[in-house]
């Protein structure tokens, strides 16, 4: 098949290629060529030798790297960028001691702006091109986050973190002002730059929201077709307190379901302590999981088993969960996911970890038709990761990518064919 002569190639990269495929497989080219058109859409991916016959134009030589789809961080907290490593866990103590005071600082616009810029740069440097982001409860901080995402070129879904009860005064925001701010954010940012940015409905967790807030959040998500992101079943203590606070619900997952917050565009972070019935409900509603293994280790929250979601066909993505997670690197998250599964006696292979960090994330966010893998017709969200030249097989490339993270991070990053790094 030859390239349509009318196609204007705006990105042509030569390097090793490693990508999951939509059909469940993995594609490897020891010497590959990737071409994208002026709209940033991949028009060719294959071996360099065969591709070169169809495209004689200039090519950027990246043979010291492997080209992979940009990482999708399915769960990360922007206002926690500067408190990575505060060892004050477990969860509820850590929130009170380390997280809430810092999140309150984000109500100062200048501070929020500096943190937003810092976080986005750090994510891009690690090869993350898409993220599902929790803001703070400050509408100003959230607005600044979107402004920076828009300018910097990253792909994201983000939302005001909803907290109207059982939260520090400095962070509590009532239902009406919160919903007003969310509607304003939707008008201004949802669908920005041909869908590069989306607004996500973001109840922090059931403990920080009233039943009325959760219901309104569910209504907004349904009316506007928005992604929903929240936490569930992270620790046993939080689970007990949630059922006390929401006495009408039959389970933690049931709290969200009762509010209309559970559906195919819902991403639930952690999901460590769920019953079989709760897993069935997540599956029945088509929701996805953001697995955050590094965070679960750091806060001692427990180990999420992969078998219950996988057996039920539930999509599992990976989240850095900064700042309970200690790194923005999805490579670190992949290694942690591997370790977590190994500790449970149910190992996963590195290819599965790689799929969760890329296509799995795209599927969780509902973006799998546009991104998540390097395939013709998808948008060119591409990362070049430096890799020793001798790694030419899938096994060697995955070993390096997932575990050998002493090597430098992304050498170059593109979103929709536009260079970000
Ligand atoms: N549960 C509620 N808020 C948070 C948070 O900020 N981080 C984590 N890991 N869990 C939460
Ligand atoms: Zn989180």
């Amino acid at each position: 098949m030859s390239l349509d002569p009318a196609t204007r190639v705006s990105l042509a990269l030569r390097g090793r290629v490693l990508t999951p495929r939509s059909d469940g497989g993995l594609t490897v080219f020891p010497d590959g060529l990737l071409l994208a058109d002026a709209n940033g859409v991949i028009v060719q991916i294959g071996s360099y030798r065969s591709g070169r016959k169809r495209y004689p134009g200039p090519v950027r030589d990246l043979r010291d790297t492997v080209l992979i789809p940009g990482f999708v961080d399915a769960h990360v907290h922007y206002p926690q960028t500067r408190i990575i490593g505060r060892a004050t866990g477990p969860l509820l103590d850590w929130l009170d001691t380390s997280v809430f005071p810092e999140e309150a600082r984000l109500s100062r616009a200048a501070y929020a702006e500096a943190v937003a810029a810092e976080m986005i740069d750090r994510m891009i440097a690690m090869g993350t091109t898409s993220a599902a982001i929790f803001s703070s409860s400050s509408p100003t901080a959230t607005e600044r986050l979107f402004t920076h995402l828009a300018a910097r070129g990253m792909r994201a879904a983000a939302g005001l973190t909803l907290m109207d009860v059982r939260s520090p005064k400095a962070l509590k925001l009532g239902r009406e002002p919160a919903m007003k701010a969310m509607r304003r954010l939707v008008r201004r940012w949802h669908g920005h730059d041909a869908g590069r940015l989306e607004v996500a409905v973001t109840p922090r967790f059931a403990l920080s929201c009233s039943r009325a807030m959760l219901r309104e959040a569910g209504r907004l998500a349904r009316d506007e077709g928005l992604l929903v992101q929240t936490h569930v079943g992270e620790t046993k203590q939080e689970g007990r307190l949630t059922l006390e606070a929401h006495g009408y619900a039959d389970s933690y997952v049931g709290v969200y379901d009762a509010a209309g917050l559970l559906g195919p565009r819902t991403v639930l972070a952690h999901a460590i302590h769920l019953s079989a019935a709760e897993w069935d409900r997540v599956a029945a509603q088509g929701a996805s999981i953001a697995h955050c293994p590094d965070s679960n280790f750091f806060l001692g929250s427990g180990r999420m088993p992969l078998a219950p979601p996988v057996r039920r066909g539930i999509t599992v993505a990976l989240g850095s969960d900064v700042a309970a997670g200690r790194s923005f690197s999805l490579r670190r998250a992949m290694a942690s996911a591997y370790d977590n599964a190994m500790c449970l006696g149910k190992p996963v292979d590195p290819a599965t970890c790689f799929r969760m960090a890329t296509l799995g994330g795209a599927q969780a966010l509902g973006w799998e038709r546009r991104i998540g893998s390097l395939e013709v017709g998808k948008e060119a969200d591409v990362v070049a990761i430096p890799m020793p030249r001798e790694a030419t097989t899938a096994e060697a490339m995955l070993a390096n990518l997932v575990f050998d993270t002493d090597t430098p991070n992304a050498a170059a990053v593109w979103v929709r064919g536009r260079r970000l790094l």
Side-chain angles (χ1 to χ4, degrees):
M1 196 182 75
S2 69
L3 200 62
D4 182 342
T7 302
R8 194 165 69 75
V9 170
S10 63
L11 184 68
L13 307 175
R14 179 183 191 179
R16 279 159 286 175
V17 171
L18 182 70
T19 177
R21 284 195 314 267
S22 306
D23 66 6
L26 185 74
T27 292
V28 187
F29 294 110
D31 184 14
L33 179 69
L34 179 148
L35 304 178
D37 68 12
N39 297 317
V41 172
I42 298 172
V43 290
Q44 188 170 303
I45 179 109
S47 81
Y48 179 78
R49 189 126 68 108
S50 66
R52 210 59 179 130
K53 291 185 194 131
R54 299 173 213 148
Y55 173 74
V59 170
R60 193 186 156 102
D61 188 344
L62 289 165
R63 277 178 288 173
D64 285 336
T65 73
V66 61
L67 304 173
I68 61 167
F71 289 120
V72 180
D73 188 341
H75 184 85
V76 61
H77 295 261
Y78 130 69
Q80 298 173 16
T81 300
R82 291 186 176 176
I83 55 158
I84 288 176
R86 300 296 168 89
T88 56
L91 174 67
L92 298 182
D93 297 328
W94 172 75
L95 287 173
D96 285 338
T97 312
S98 300
V99 174
F100 292 153
E102 176 68 4
E103 293 204 2
R105 281 181 205 113
L106 274 275
S107 57
R108 278 181 35 228
Y111 191 73
E113 209 157 291
V115 173
E118 202 171 299
M119 175 200 64
I120 294 165
D121 281 347
R122 286 183 68 169
M123 287 205 282
I124 292 170
M126 293 294 133
T128 296
T129 51
S130 296
I133 306 173
F134 281 56
S135 180
S136 70
S137 56
S138 158
T140 308
T142 312
E143 178 64 34
R144 298 301 155 111
L145 170 65
F146 273 105
T147 305
H148 278 269
L149 287 166
R152 194 65 181 81
M154 222 186 125
R155 204 184 284 277
L160 184 78
T161 293
L162 305 176
M163 323 172 54
D164 69 331
V165 292
R166 291 176 289 274
S167 306
K169 200 156 154 260
L171 289 175
K172 231 187 251 183
L173 187 65
R175 185 162 41 95
E176 279 187 20
M179 286 300 140
K180 197 167 156 217
M182 276 298 290
R183 280 190 287 272
R184 199 168 47 234
L185 288 166
V186 170
R187 277 197 303 278
R188 191 153 155 64
W189 294 111
H190 189 62
H192 178 84
D193 190 17
R196 181 167 60 80
L197 298 182
E198 287 192 14
V199 174
V201 170
T202 310
R204 174 166 221 123
F205 59 167
L207 263 185
S208 73
C209 294
S210 64
R211 186 179 190 184
M213 176 72 108
L214 293 174
R215 279 179 164 166
E216 284 236 12
R219 200 169 308 132
L220 179 68
R222 188 196 57 214
D223 291 351
E224 303 284 348
L226 305 179
L227 188 83
V228 174
Q229 53 178 354
T230 190
H231 298 87
V232 76
E234 186 173 358
T235 68
K236 288 186 178 156
Q237 184 194 22
E238 157 220 6
R240 270 194 308 275
L241 293 172
T242 297
L243 290 186
E244 276 171 37
H246 296 273
Y248 56 88
D250 57 1
S251 65
Y252 197 157
V253 167
V255 176
Y256 296 133
D257 205 9
L261 283 163
L262 216 55
R265 291 218 72 205
T266 302
V267 184
L268 300 169
H270 301 287
I272 303 168
H273 306 284
L274 299 194
S275 66
E278 288 181 290
W279 278 116
D280 288 343
R281 207 143 163 188
V282 172
Q285 295 286 23
S288 301
I289 301 300
H291 178 30
C292 305
D294 185 49
S295 158
N296 299 341
F297 284 127
F298 185 58
L299 295 181
S301 305
R303 296 192 191 123
M304 193 197 92
L306 284 168
V310 169
R311 209 183 303 128
R312 291 169 174 84
I314 297 168
T315 296
V316 181
L318 281 188
S320 68
D321 196 23
V322 162
R326 291 155 288 186
S327 168
F328 283 104
S329 168
L330 267 279
R331 294 175 73 183
R332 293 282 300 276
M334 290 192 289
S336 282
Y338 180 91
D339 295 351
N340 176 75
M342 191 58 113
C343 286
L344 287 170
K346 306 260 189 231
V348 287
D349 55 27
T352 302
C353 299
F354 181 46
R355 173 171 286 271
M356 289 193 287
T358 52
L359 193 52
Q363 286 164 339
L365 272 56
W367 297 347
E368 72 277 9
R369 287 171 63 166
R370 281 185 282 155
I371 58 153
S373 55
L374 303 179
E375 295 180 277
V376 169
K378 288 204 181 184
E379 296 178 17
D381 289 13
V382 187
V383 176
I385 304 273
M387 189 167 287
R389 288 241 175 176
E390 62 272 16
T392 53
T393 62
E395 188 188 12
M397 289 187 218
L398 284 165
N400 182 281
L401 192 65
V402 178
F403 300 113
D404 197 355
T405 50
D406 284 356
T407 51
N409 275 295
V413 176
W414 295 261
V415 166
R416 204 186 272 154
R418 177 185 163 202
R419 182 94 187 257
L420 305 193
L421 180 78

